[in-house]
């Protein structure tokens, strides 16, 4: 089997699993207890916090452990909104290609009287930092722009946006769930005020993540209860998960440059191979993209059929088309970068991993080429295109 859906989730690394075991067995204590045995748990928790902080150049006290990326995104946005409301500010700037954890929270805030500006996005899937400057108003209380996109892999100009937000004194949050563990991140150099991350996107366990919140920024609690996380997130800590995340993050950081170079070579081989399929198009900029992301549209086919046939050939992939998730609308990301509905429906995301080989890339190219040809052979839309009854779009 070839697993090419690492943007959806990654396999737990051996190192992470090993780091988790003690906290599921011998060191099972509650970090908040007062007897000496539990001190080991408390120390492990704070050690993990310091180590996670170091990986993004933050301070230990600036890390809040959460249940994952969605929770971190929710807490960041709702915190900035609450602070804005207090100061009479109700304008938020974002992009149309954010993850639903951000987009749905923004929708909720819109219902609460917030005005949201969605920045224009080009065909390349990258926003322009200067558009952020132009959108900032007196009433802006937050800019939230994802670091890297989960569907098309495009990387946004985070440092430039951070600089502008700092100049304008507007808090800047980034959903960095796809970037942490894959790209070098320095929250100080990039002027990031809040950042969301999730362990299962970098070979850590599911159900754990963190929110970086720069010192001085107030948060609101999504979960009330005990005084864990300095009173910012209640609930007995998921210590095993946190230990696994920390080990996975350090491992990813240590291997980042080598892994990235290797993955880019495999990625570009697949992109070259799939580009040879007639009437296909790469989605998102070829350069400003995650090392593991390949995303294509193929005219005249349905993404879901493509996925099923690839599954038969032992390839796990994903489609930007949301039909699989019970809705007929194609991906909001593909529509935002200007793909028309028909074309957006025929999309394929392959998110390769550190261990994807050149041989597997060859297998993927052959399999996708075959399957696309087979589906086109059965497609009335494709026949119309070939007979000139419809115009090719790509
Ligand atoms: C996966 C993902 C999330 C959600 O993270 P969970 O830990 O699964 O809640 C948020 N944003 C992006 C960009 C993601 O890829």
């Amino acid at each position: 089997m070839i697993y090419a859906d690492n943007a959806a989730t990654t396999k737990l690394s051996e190192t992470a699993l090993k780091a988790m075991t003690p906290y599921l067995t011998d060191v099972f204590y509650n970090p908040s207890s007062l007897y000496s045995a539990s001190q080991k748990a408390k120390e492990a928790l704070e050690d993990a916090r310091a180590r996670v902080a170091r990986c993004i150049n933050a301070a230990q006290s600036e890390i809040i452990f959460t249940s994952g990326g969605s929770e971190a995104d929710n807490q960041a946005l709702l915190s900035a909104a609450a602070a804005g409301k207090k100061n009479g500010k109700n304008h938020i700037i974002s992009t149309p290609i954010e993850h639903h954890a951000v987009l749905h929270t923004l929708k909720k805030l819109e219902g609460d009287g917030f005005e949201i500006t969605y920045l224009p996005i080009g065909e390349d899937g990258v926003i322009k930092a200067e558009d952020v400057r132009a959108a900032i108003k007196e009433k802006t209380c937050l800019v939230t722009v994802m670091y890297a996109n989960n569907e098309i892999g495009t990387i946004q100009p985070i440092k430039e946006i951070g600089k502008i937000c700092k100049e304008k004194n507007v808090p800047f949050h980034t959903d960095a769930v796809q970037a942490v563990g894959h790209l070098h991140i320095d929250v100080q150099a990039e002027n990031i005020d809040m950042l969301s991350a999730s362990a299962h996107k970098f070979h850590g366990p599911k159900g754990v993540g963190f929110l970086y919140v720069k010192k001085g920024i107030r948060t609101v609690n999504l979960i009330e209860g005990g005084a864990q996380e300095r009173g910012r997130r209640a609930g007995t800590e998921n210590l095993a998960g946190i230990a696994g995340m920390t080990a996975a993050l350090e491992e990813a950081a240590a291997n980042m440059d080598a892994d990235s170079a290797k993955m880019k070579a495999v990625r570009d081989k697949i992109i070259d191979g799939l580009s040879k399929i007639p009437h296909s198009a790469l989605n998102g900029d070829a350069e400003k993209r995650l090392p593991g992301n390949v995303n294509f549209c193929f005219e005249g086919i349905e993404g879901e059929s493509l996925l099923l046939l690839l599954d038969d050939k032992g390839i796990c992939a994903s489609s930007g088309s949301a039909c699989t998730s019970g809705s007929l609308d194609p991906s909001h990301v593909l529509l935002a970068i200007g793909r028309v509905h028909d074309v957006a429906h025929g999309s394929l995301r392959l998110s390769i991993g550190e261990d994807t080989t050149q041989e597997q890339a060859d297998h993927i190219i052959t399999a996708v080429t075959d399957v696309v040809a087979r589906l086109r052979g059965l497609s009335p839309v494709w026949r119309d295109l070939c007979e000139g009854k419809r115009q090719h779009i790509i």
Side-chain angles (χ1 to χ4, degrees):
M1 193 192 79
I2 300 176
Y3 183 71
D5 202 17
N6 286 278
T9 197
T10 60
K11 185 180 176 186
L12 187 69
S13 85
E14 291 286 336
T15 318
L17 177 61
K18 247 187 167 152
M20 293 172 76
T21 315
Y23 306 102
L24 296 165
T25 54
D26 299 348
V27 194
F28 65 88
Y29 310 103
N30 189 322
S32 303
S33 298
L34 292 178
Y35 32 83
S36 52
S38 74
Q39 281 312 298
K40 228 174 150 179
K42 176 85 188 156
E43 280 163 19
L45 178 67
E46 293 314 313
D47 175 59
R49 199 186 306 283
R51 287 160 58 193
V52 163
R54 205 173 302 134
C55 288
I56 58 166
N57 198 22
Q60 184 177 349
S61 62
E62 295 174 320
I63 303 296
I64 302 174
F65 291 125
T66 67
S67 67
S70 300
E71 184 188 330
D73 283 340
N74 275 259
Q75 189 167 19
L77 268 59
L78 296 177
S79 296
K85 213 164 191 176
K86 238 185 216 163
N87 302 323
K89 296 185 175 189
N90 68 343
H91 177 236
I92 296 174
I93 298 167
S94 190
T95 80
I97 64 164
E98 298 297 309
H99 188 272
H100 284 130
V102 167
L103 286 182
H104 291 172
T105 307
L106 291 175
K107 269 276 163 289
K108 198 155 87 176
L109 289 170
E110 222 172 340
D112 282 349
F114 282 82
E115 181 204 339
I116 321 288
T117 297
Y118 295 95
L119 296 166
I121 187 142
E123 275 177 32
D124 60 357
V126 182
I127 66 152
K128 292 189 175 58
E130 281 309 312
D131 286 338
V132 174
R133 187 194 298 282
I136 292 175
K137 307 197 272 197
E138 201 57 52
K139 283 185 181 293
T140 307
C141 62
L142 176 70
V143 170
T144 176
V145 174
M146 73 197 318
Y147 210 111
N149 185 266
N150 47 301
E151 288 188 33
I152 57 173
T154 48
I155 300 168
Q156 303 302 331
I158 295 300
K159 194 171 181 179
E160 290 84 339
I161 298 169
K163 188 162 173 260
I164 291 166
C165 290
K166 191 182 178 191
E167 269 172 48
K168 298 280 190 178
N169 203 19
V170 175
F172 174 39
H173 165 255
T174 184
D175 173 345
V177 173
Q178 290 289 334
V180 170
H182 302 281
L183 303 173
H184 290 286
I185 296 179
D186 180 329
V187 290
Q188 294 188 48
E190 294 168 276
N191 287 305
I192 297 166
D193 296 308
M194 289 190 279
L195 173 145
S196 308
S198 178
H200 76 101
K201 302 290 174 72
F202 52 81
H203 302 284
K206 291 167 188 55
V208 61
F210 67 88
L211 176 63
Y212 151 78
V213 182
K214 190 181 178 158
K215 191 166 180 257
I217 292 186
R218 298 276 286 256
T219 54
V220 294
N221 293 359
L222 304 187
I223 301 174
E224 298 290 356
Q228 291 92 353
E229 302 299 304
R230 296 170 155 228
R232 294 177 294 185
R233 202 276 184 185
T236 303
E237 299 87 347
N238 173 7
L239 189 50
I242 290 165
M245 169 167 70
T246 305
L249 184 54
E250 285 182 340
E251 190 178 30
N255 301 327
M256 194 179 290
D257 292 334
D259 282 344
S260 175
K262 188 175 156 233
M263 286 164 75
K264 277 182 186 167
V266 175
R267 175 196 72 185
D268 291 342
K269 182 187 177 85
I270 299 174
I271 291 176
D272 276 353
L274 299 188
S275 300
K276 298 201 172 79
I277 297 176
H279 303 286
S280 69
L282 178 69
N283 292 311
D285 192 84
E287 307 290 329
K288 294 173 194 151
R289 86 189 287 128
L290 288 168
N293 179 284
V294 176
N295 191 312
F296 267 83
C297 279
F298 304 104
E299 206 168 17
I301 64 160
E302 292 289 338
E304 302 87 275
S305 320
L306 182 55
L307 290 190
L308 293 177
L309 292 181
L310 287 178
D311 189 21
D312 284 346
K313 290 179 180 276
I315 297 170
C316 307
S318 163
S319 171
S321 164
C323 294
T324 40
S325 41
S327 142
L328 281 173
D329 291 332
S331 146
H332 66 283
V333 175
L334 296 179
L335 294 180
I337 63 167
R339 295 285 181 220
V340 300
H341 274 242
D342 281 355
V343 171
H345 271 303
S347 75
L348 173 69
R349 178 186 72 185
L350 296 156
S351 41
I352 59 165
E354 293 78 1
D355 55 358
T356 310
T357 63
Q358 293 275 346
E359 289 70 38
Q360 289 179 324
D362 283 324
H363 185 72
I364 289 173
I365 295 164
T366 310
V368 175
T369 307
D370 287 355
V371 168
V372 168
R374 206 160 115 206
L375 289 172
R376 281 178 173 169
L378 303 167
S379 158
V381 172
W382 185 252
R383 199 178 51 226
D384 285 355
L385 286 164
C386 294
E387 290 172 0
K389 291 182 189 151
R390 267 178 191 245
Q391 292 296 311
H392 281 290
I393 299 164
I394 56 174

Short mmCIF file of all heavy atoms in Angstrom, two decimals, residues 6-9 66-73 97-102 146-151 175-179 196-201 205-210 349, ligand 1:
data_model
loop_
_atom_site.label_atom_id
_atom_site.label_comp_id
_atom_site.label_asym_id
_atom_site.label_seq_id
_atom_site.Cartn_x
_atom_site.Cartn_y
_atom_site.Cartn_z
N ASN A 6 -0.99 12.19 3.85
CA ASN A 6 -0.37 12.71 5.07
C ASN A 6 -0.89 14.09 5.49
O ASN A 6 -0.66 14.50 6.62
CB ASN A 6 1.16 12.77 4.91
CG ASN A 6 1.79 11.39 4.99
OD1 ASN A 6 2.02 10.86 6.06
ND2 ASN A 6 2.02 10.78 3.83
N ALA A 7 -1.62 14.77 4.60
CA ALA A 7 -2.23 16.03 5.00
C ALA A 7 -3.47 15.76 5.87
O ALA A 7 -3.91 16.63 6.62
CB ALA A 7 -2.60 16.87 3.78
N ALA A 8 -4.02 14.57 5.75
CA ALA A 8 -5.19 14.20 6.57
C ALA A 8 -4.73 13.75 7.94
O ALA A 8 -5.26 14.17 8.97
CB ALA A 8 -6.00 13.10 5.88
N THR A 9 -3.72 12.89 7.95
CA THR A 9 -3.08 12.50 9.21
C THR A 9 -1.82 11.73 8.87
O THR A 9 -1.66 11.25 7.75
CB THR A 9 -4.02 11.68 10.12
OG1 THR A 9 -3.48 11.68 11.46
CG2 THR A 9 -4.15 10.23 9.65
N THR A 66 -3.58 21.87 23.83
CA THR A 66 -5.00 21.74 23.48
C THR A 66 -5.27 20.32 22.98
O THR A 66 -4.36 19.50 22.91
CB THR A 66 -5.38 22.72 22.34
OG1 THR A 66 -4.70 22.31 21.15
CG2 THR A 66 -5.01 24.15 22.68
N SER A 67 -6.51 20.09 22.57
CA SER A 67 -6.87 18.77 22.04
C SER A 67 -6.54 18.65 20.55
O SER A 67 -6.84 17.64 19.93
CB SER A 67 -8.37 18.53 22.23
OG SER A 67 -9.11 19.42 21.42
N GLY A 68 -5.95 19.68 19.97
CA GLY A 68 -5.59 19.60 18.56
C GLY A 68 -5.67 20.96 17.88
O GLY A 68 -5.79 22.01 18.54
N GLY A 69 -5.62 20.91 16.56
CA GLY A 69 -5.60 22.14 15.77
C GLY A 69 -6.93 22.88 15.78
O GLY A 69 -6.95 24.11 15.87
N SER A 70 -8.03 22.15 15.72
CA SER A 70 -9.34 22.81 15.68
C SER A 70 -9.57 23.61 16.96
O SER A 70 -10.01 24.77 16.91
CB SER A 70 -10.45 21.77 15.53
OG SER A 70 -10.28 21.04 14.34
N GLU A 71 -9.26 23.00 18.10
CA GLU A 71 -9.45 23.72 19.36
C GLU A 71 -8.55 24.95 19.42
O GLU A 71 -8.99 26.03 19.84
CB GLU A 71 -9.16 22.80 20.56
CG GLU A 71 -9.46 23.50 21.89
CD GLU A 71 -9.02 22.71 23.13
OE1 GLU A 71 -9.02 21.46 23.08
OE2 GLU A 71 -8.69 23.36 24.13
N ALA A 72 -7.31 24.80 19.00
CA ALA A 72 -6.38 25.93 19.03
C ALA A 72 -6.89 27.07 18.15
O ALA A 72 -6.86 28.25 18.54
CB ALA A 72 -5.00 25.47 18.58
N ASP A 73 -7.39 26.74 16.96
CA ASP A 73 -7.94 27.77 16.07
C ASP A 73 -9.13 28.47 16.71
O ASP A 73 -9.24 29.70 16.69
CB ASP A 73 -8.40 27.13 14.74
CG ASP A 73 -7.24 26.80 13.81
OD1 ASP A 73 -6.15 27.37 13.99
OD2 ASP A 73 -7.43 25.97 12.90
N ILE A 97 -9.40 30.53 1.87
CA ILE A 97 -8.88 29.15 1.76
C ILE A 97 -8.52 28.55 3.11
O ILE A 97 -7.83 27.52 3.16
CB ILE A 97 -7.69 29.06 0.78
CG1 ILE A 97 -6.48 29.86 1.30
CG2 ILE A 97 -8.08 29.53 -0.61
CD1 ILE A 97 -5.18 29.50 0.59
N GLU A 98 -8.97 29.17 4.20
CA GLU A 98 -8.67 28.63 5.53
C GLU A 98 -9.33 27.27 5.73
O GLU A 98 -10.31 26.92 5.06
CB GLU A 98 -9.19 29.60 6.60
CG GLU A 98 -8.56 30.97 6.58
CD GLU A 98 -7.07 30.97 6.88
OE1 GLU A 98 -6.67 30.37 7.90
OE2 GLU A 98 -6.31 31.57 6.10
N HIS A 99 -8.84 26.56 6.72
CA HIS A 99 -9.46 25.30 7.16
C HIS A 99 -10.82 25.63 7.78
O HIS A 99 -11.03 26.74 8.28
CB HIS A 99 -8.55 24.66 8.22
CG HIS A 99 -8.95 23.28 8.64
ND1 HIS A 99 -9.84 23.05 9.66
CD2 HIS A 99 -8.57 22.06 8.19
CE1 HIS A 99 -9.99 21.74 9.81
NE2 HIS A 99 -9.23 21.12 8.93
N HIS A 100 -11.73 24.65 7.77
CA HIS A 100 -13.07 24.90 8.32
C HIS A 100 -13.03 25.26 9.80
O HIS A 100 -13.95 25.93 10.30
CB HIS A 100 -13.99 23.71 8.06
CG HIS A 100 -14.45 23.67 6.62
ND1 HIS A 100 -14.38 22.53 5.84
CD2 HIS A 100 -14.96 24.65 5.84
CE1 HIS A 100 -14.83 22.82 4.63
NE2 HIS A 100 -15.19 24.08 4.59
N ALA A 101 -12.02 24.83 10.53
CA ALA A 101 -11.92 25.21 11.95
C ALA A 101 -11.86 26.73 12.08
O ALA A 101 -12.38 27.30 13.04
CB ALA A 101 -10.70 24.56 12.59
N VAL A 102 -11.26 27.39 11.11
CA VAL A 102 -11.21 28.86 11.10
C VAL A 102 -12.46 29.42 10.42
O VAL A 102 -13.15 30.29 10.98
CB VAL A 102 -9.93 29.36 10.39
CG1 VAL A 102 -10.00 30.85 10.09
CG2 VAL A 102 -8.70 29.06 11.25
N MET A 146 -3.65 31.36 7.27
CA MET A 146 -2.99 30.07 7.50
C MET A 146 -1.57 30.08 6.97
O MET A 146 -1.26 30.76 5.98
CB MET A 146 -3.82 28.94 6.89
CG MET A 146 -3.80 28.85 5.38
SD MET A 146 -5.15 27.83 4.69
CE MET A 146 -5.22 26.42 5.75
N TYR A 147 -0.69 29.33 7.61
CA TYR A 147 0.72 29.27 7.20
C TYR A 147 0.84 28.55 5.87
O TYR A 147 1.46 29.05 4.93
CB TYR A 147 1.54 28.54 8.28
CG TYR A 147 2.97 29.01 8.36
CD1 TYR A 147 3.44 29.72 9.46
CD2 TYR A 147 3.87 28.73 7.33
CE1 TYR A 147 4.75 30.15 9.54
CE2 TYR A 147 5.19 29.15 7.39
CZ TYR A 147 5.63 29.86 8.50
OH TYR A 147 6.92 30.29 8.57
N ALA A 148 0.23 27.35 5.80
CA ALA A 148 0.26 26.56 4.57
C ALA A 148 -1.09 25.87 4.43
O ALA A 148 -1.68 25.43 5.42
CB ALA A 148 1.38 25.54 4.60
N ASN A 149 -1.55 25.79 3.18
CA ASN A 149 -2.89 25.25 2.95
C ASN A 149 -2.90 23.73 2.96
O ASN A 149 -2.02 23.07 2.40
CB ASN A 149 -3.43 25.79 1.62
CG ASN A 149 -4.85 25.35 1.39
OD1 ASN A 149 -5.11 24.35 0.73
ND2 ASN A 149 -5.80 26.07 1.96
N ASN A 150 -3.96 23.18 3.56
CA ASN A 150 -4.05 21.73 3.70
C ASN A 150 -4.47 21.02 2.41
O ASN A 150 -4.24 19.84 2.25
CB ASN A 150 -5.01 21.36 4.83
CG ASN A 150 -6.30 22.13 4.78
OD1 ASN A 150 -6.30 23.36 4.83
ND2 ASN A 150 -7.42 21.44 4.67
N GLU A 151 -5.07 21.75 1.46
CA GLU A 151 -5.47 21.08 0.22
C GLU A 151 -4.43 21.24 -0.89
O GLU A 151 -4.00 20.27 -1.49
CB GLU A 151 -6.81 21.63 -0.26
CG GLU A 151 -7.96 21.18 0.62
CD GLU A 151 -9.30 21.57 0.04
OE1 GLU A 151 -9.45 21.60 -1.21
OE2 GLU A 151 -10.21 21.87 0.82
N ASP A 175 -2.92 29.68 11.41
CA ASP A 175 -3.18 28.26 11.54
C ASP A 175 -1.99 27.58 10.85
O ASP A 175 -1.92 27.52 9.62
CB ASP A 175 -4.50 27.92 10.83
CG ASP A 175 -4.77 26.41 10.77
OD1 ASP A 175 -3.83 25.63 11.00
OD2 ASP A 175 -5.91 26.04 10.47
N ALA A 176 -1.07 27.09 11.68
CA ALA A 176 0.17 26.51 11.14
C ALA A 176 0.15 24.99 11.23
O ALA A 176 1.21 24.35 11.27
CB ALA A 176 1.37 27.09 11.87
N VAL A 177 -1.05 24.42 11.24
CA VAL A 177 -1.19 22.97 11.44
C VAL A 177 -0.44 22.18 10.35
O VAL A 177 0.17 21.16 10.63
CB VAL A 177 -2.67 22.56 11.52
CG1 VAL A 177 -2.82 21.04 11.54
CG2 VAL A 177 -3.33 23.16 12.75
N GLN A 178 -0.47 22.68 9.11
CA GLN A 178 0.23 21.95 8.04
C GLN A 178 1.72 22.29 7.98
O GLN A 178 2.48 21.64 7.26
CB GLN A 178 -0.42 22.25 6.68
CG GLN A 178 -1.80 21.65 6.50
CD GLN A 178 -1.78 20.13 6.35
OE1 GLN A 178 -0.80 19.52 5.92
NE2 GLN A 178 -2.88 19.49 6.72
N ALA A 179 2.11 23.34 8.68
CA ALA A 179 3.49 23.82 8.56
C ALA A 179 4.39 23.34 9.69
O ALA A 179 5.57 23.02 9.46
CB ALA A 179 3.49 25.35 8.52
N SER A 196 -1.47 28.05 15.77
CA SER A 196 -2.10 26.76 16.07
C SER A 196 -1.30 25.62 15.46
O SER A 196 -0.83 25.73 14.33
CB SER A 196 -3.51 26.69 15.47
OG SER A 196 -4.26 27.81 15.84
N ALA A 197 -1.21 24.50 16.21
CA ALA A 197 -0.51 23.32 15.71
C ALA A 197 -1.23 22.06 16.18
O ALA A 197 -1.95 22.09 17.18
CB ALA A 197 0.94 23.31 16.17
N SER A 198 -0.99 20.97 15.47
CA SER A 198 -1.62 19.70 15.80
C SER A 198 -0.63 18.56 15.61
O SER A 198 0.00 18.44 14.56
CB SER A 198 -2.83 19.50 14.89
OG SER A 198 -3.42 18.25 15.17
N ALA A 199 -0.50 17.71 16.65
CA ALA A 199 0.54 16.67 16.65
C ALA A 199 0.38 15.64 15.53
O ALA A 199 1.36 15.19 14.96
CB ALA A 199 0.54 15.96 18.00
N HIS A 200 -0.88 15.29 15.20
CA HIS A 200 -1.04 14.18 14.26
C HIS A 200 -0.70 14.54 12.82
O HIS A 200 -0.73 13.68 11.94
CB HIS A 200 -2.44 13.54 14.38
CG HIS A 200 -3.56 14.32 13.76
ND1 HIS A 200 -4.09 13.99 12.53
CD2 HIS A 200 -4.25 15.39 14.19
CE1 HIS A 200 -5.08 14.83 12.24
NE2 HIS A 200 -5.21 15.69 13.24
N LYS A 201 -0.36 15.79 12.58
CA LYS A 201 0.08 16.19 11.24
C LYS A 201 1.60 16.12 11.12
O LYS A 201 2.15 16.36 10.06
CB LYS A 201 -0.42 17.60 10.89
CG LYS A 201 -1.95 17.78 10.95
CD LYS A 201 -2.68 17.05 9.83
CE LYS A 201 -4.19 17.09 9.95
NZ LYS A 201 -4.80 18.38 9.66
N PRO A 205 0.68 11.85 18.07
CA PRO A 205 -0.63 11.22 18.23
C PRO A 205 -1.79 12.17 17.90
O PRO A 205 -1.62 13.38 17.88
CB PRO A 205 -0.64 10.86 19.71
CG PRO A 205 0.30 11.83 20.36
CD PRO A 205 1.33 12.19 19.34
N LYS A 206 -2.96 11.60 17.68
CA LYS A 206 -4.16 12.41 17.43
C LYS A 206 -4.73 12.93 18.75
O LYS A 206 -4.46 12.36 19.82
CB LYS A 206 -5.20 11.57 16.71
CG LYS A 206 -4.80 11.23 15.29
CD LYS A 206 -5.66 10.15 14.69
CE LYS A 206 -5.14 9.68 13.36
NZ LYS A 206 -3.72 9.22 13.37
N GLY A 207 -5.49 13.99 18.68
CA GLY A 207 -6.15 14.49 19.88
C GLY A 207 -5.27 15.35 20.77
O GLY A 207 -5.58 15.55 21.94
N VAL A 208 -4.19 15.87 20.22
CA VAL A 208 -3.34 16.78 21.01
C VAL A 208 -2.68 17.79 20.07
O VAL A 208 -2.38 17.48 18.92
CB VAL A 208 -2.28 15.99 21.84
CG1 VAL A 208 -1.35 15.18 20.95
CG2 VAL A 208 -1.48 16.92 22.76
N GLY A 209 -2.56 19.00 20.57
CA GLY A 209 -1.95 20.07 19.79
C GLY A 209 -1.59 21.19 20.73
O GLY A 209 -1.57 21.00 21.95
N PHE A 210 -1.27 22.34 20.16
CA PHE A 210 -1.00 23.47 21.04
C PHE A 210 -1.35 24.78 20.37
O PHE A 210 -1.43 24.87 19.14
CB PHE A 210 0.46 23.47 21.54
CG PHE A 210 1.51 23.71 20.47
CD1 PHE A 210 1.92 24.99 20.12
CD2 PHE A 210 2.11 22.63 19.81
CE1 PHE A 210 2.89 25.20 19.15
CE2 PHE A 210 3.09 22.83 18.83
CZ PHE A 210 3.48 24.12 18.51
N ARG A 349 -5.67 15.07 -4.45
CA ARG A 349 -4.57 15.50 -3.57
C ARG A 349 -3.76 14.28 -3.16
O ARG A 349 -4.32 13.32 -2.62
CB ARG A 349 -5.10 16.19 -2.31
CG ARG A 349 -3.96 16.61 -1.36
CD ARG A 349 -4.46 17.17 -0.05
NE ARG A 349 -5.02 16.14 0.81
CZ ARG A 349 -5.63 16.37 1.98
NH1 ARG A 349 -5.77 17.61 2.40
NH2 ARG A 349 -6.09 15.37 2.72
C1 LIG B 1 -5.87 19.14 10.28
C2 LIG B 1 -5.99 20.61 10.28
C3 LIG B 1 -6.68 21.28 11.30
C4 LIG B 1 -7.41 20.54 12.39
O1 LIG B 1 -6.54 19.92 13.30
P1 LIG B 1 -7.11 18.78 14.26
O2 LIG B 1 -5.96 18.50 15.19
O3 LIG B 1 -7.42 17.61 13.40
O4 LIG B 1 -8.28 19.35 14.97
C5 LIG B 1 -6.73 22.65 11.26
N1 LIG B 1 -6.13 23.34 10.30
C6 LIG B 1 -5.45 22.74 9.30
C7 LIG B 1 -4.77 23.57 8.25
C8 LIG B 1 -5.36 21.35 9.26
O5 LIG B 1 -4.71 20.77 8.26
#
